[in-house]
Amino acid sequence: MARDTRTKSVELLTVRQVLDELGGISRRTFYRWRELRIAPTCIRLPNGELRVRRDVLNDWLEERAEGVAS
């Protein structure tokens, strides 16, 4: 079957969960980052809610770690 690349479950975080993971930043700050296109990439669900994949958030944080060679 061709489903082998999609069989792994992906954790989707709510905006509230992302805010908590980032140390409790404000919702306004997160949406400002989105306006500036510096927030982690989000998925917009059909009901309009946003989700962030766990792996995307982790990669986004890693890219911003100080002292990391690029």
Side-chain angles (χ1 to χ4, degrees):
M1 297 189 89
R3 294 192 55 148
D4 57 4
T5 59
R6 298 228 179 226
T7 55
K8 190 185 295 186
S9 173
V10 175
E11 183 181 8
L12 297 177
L13 303 171
T14 64
V15 171
R16 170 55 49 206
Q17 289 172 312
V18 172
L19 300 179
D20 291 344
E21 291 262 341
L22 297 176
I25 66 165
S26 73
R27 183 174 292 269
R28 177 65 193 126
T29 296
F30 180 78
Y31 281 98
R32 179 68 177 145
W33 288 352
R34 282 187 41 84
E35 290 171 10
L36 296 172
R37 299 187 181 273
I38 59 174
T41 304
C42 297
I43 299 168
R44 184 171 303 278
L45 300 177
N47 65 1
E49 293 183 10
L50 296 177
R51 295 292 185 271
V52 177
R53 289 175 45 151
R54 163 68 68 192
D55 59 335
V56 169
L57 179 61
N58 289 343
D59 291 346
W60 183 83
L61 288 170
E62 190 65 32
E63 290 169 3
R64 280 145 188 81
E66 291 186 8
V68 175
S70 19

